[in-house]
Amino acid sequence: MSELRLVLASQSPARLATLRSAGVEPEVIVSGVDESVINDADPAGLALALAQLKARAVADQLVNADDTDDGVDDRTILVIGCDSVLELDGAAYGKPHDPQVAIQRWQQMRGRSGVLHTGHQVIKINNGEITHAAGRGAATIVHFADLDDAEIKAYVDTGEPLVVAGSFTLDGLGGPFVTGIEGDPHNVIGISLPLLREMIMAAGHSWPELWASVRP
């Protein structure tokens, strides 16, 4: 069996940290895709479409690199793409970026529940060719604390909610503002490890093989 090369097509520190905590150290290649080209109105469909877009962009980069290099990379490459959105009242919310937008979202979310959707795409490359591609989504219900306006402003002022899907985190400063979840907690952070394990197996590999892909 050839050496396994694992590539994470995401710049999310939380996803990388989650994989590292599970004993996996992937190579990170940021896709650089324009997410605005995806206009799926369904939150679950949007998350999956964005994950597929990112993974395919990176997979194409790797295949094209093999075409131009002196020799084809004979390692098996697994590319993992993910994207997350929060569903509230049927609408999808990604990263707010703007402080006022984040404040308004938290005013909508406080004391309520939403669904965090994360799309996952796994693409396998052998001898410079894509031999397997599959996408799946995971959903986790998130219950939010009833924050007052002062707490919301203080949280937004930290900058954390501006750069995360749904304007909150489970594993950071926003942790105290999540009163409970129903489903996989890893999914809320941005990558469902149990689902990813199933997808890795469907691609013909075992989860422990990813431990062997750890790089110093």
Side-chain angles (χ1 to χ4, degrees):
M1 181 179 296
S2 63
E3 179 186 350
L4 184 62
R5 178 184 178 190
L6 185 67
V7 175
L8 177 64
S10 172
Q11 62 183 349
S12 165
R15 291 191 182 103
L16 180 58
T18 300
L19 286 170
R20 284 174 169 169
S21 70
V24 180
E25 183 71 36
E27 175 184 348
V28 175
I29 300 179
V30 180
S31 66
V33 297
D34 179 7
E35 298 185 13
S36 66
V37 301
I38 303 295
N39 296 305
D40 197 315
D42 172 64
L46 176 61
L48 182 55
L50 288 169
Q52 292 170 332
L53 181 68
K54 293 178 179 179
R56 186 57 194 243
V58 170
D60 286 345
Q61 289 179 34
L62 295 169
V63 170
N64 291 335
D66 274 345
D67 289 341
T68 57
D69 288 345
D70 292 335
V72 173
D73 189 339
D74 62 358
R75 292 175 293 177
T76 296
I77 305 173
L78 293 178
V79 179
I80 300 169
C82 297
D83 203 273
S84 301
V85 299
L86 177 72
E87 179 181 357
L88 191 69
D89 296 327
Y93 296 98
K95 304 178 183 72
H97 298 297
D98 180 82
Q100 191 55 43
V101 172
I103 288 173
Q104 292 171 351
R105 287 188 187 172
W106 261 103
Q107 289 173 339
Q108 288 179 274
M109 290 157 47
R110 60 185 171 189
R112 302 181 62 196
S113 300
V115 181
L116 198 289
H117 295 278
T118 298
H120 302 69
Q121 179 77 7
V122 171
I123 297 178
K124 181 176 179 178
I125 302 171
N126 278 320
N127 297 316
E129 295 184 1
I130 294 174
T131 58
H132 173 89
R136 290 179 61 182
T140 303
I141 298 173
V142 184
H143 303 285
F144 300 106
D146 190 6
L147 280 64
D148 60 31
D149 287 344
E151 282 181 301
I152 291 174
K153 186 178 185 307
Y155 182 39
V156 171
D157 284 346
T158 68
E160 181 182 85
L162 304 183
V163 294
V164 288
S167 311
F168 77 98
T169 61
L170 185 64
D171 58 333
L173 298 175
F177 307 137
V178 176
T179 60
I181 63 168
E182 298 175 47
D184 177 16
H186 300 106
N187 187 58
V188 182
I189 298 173
I191 185 167
S192 172
L193 296 180
L195 176 60
L196 183 59
R197 171 182 167 271
E198 294 177 2
M199 297 180 73
I200 294 297
M201 292 173 65
H205 298 273
S206 69
W207 184 259
E209 282 183 70
L210 302 190
W211 297 335
S213 72
V214 174
R215 289 175 171 77

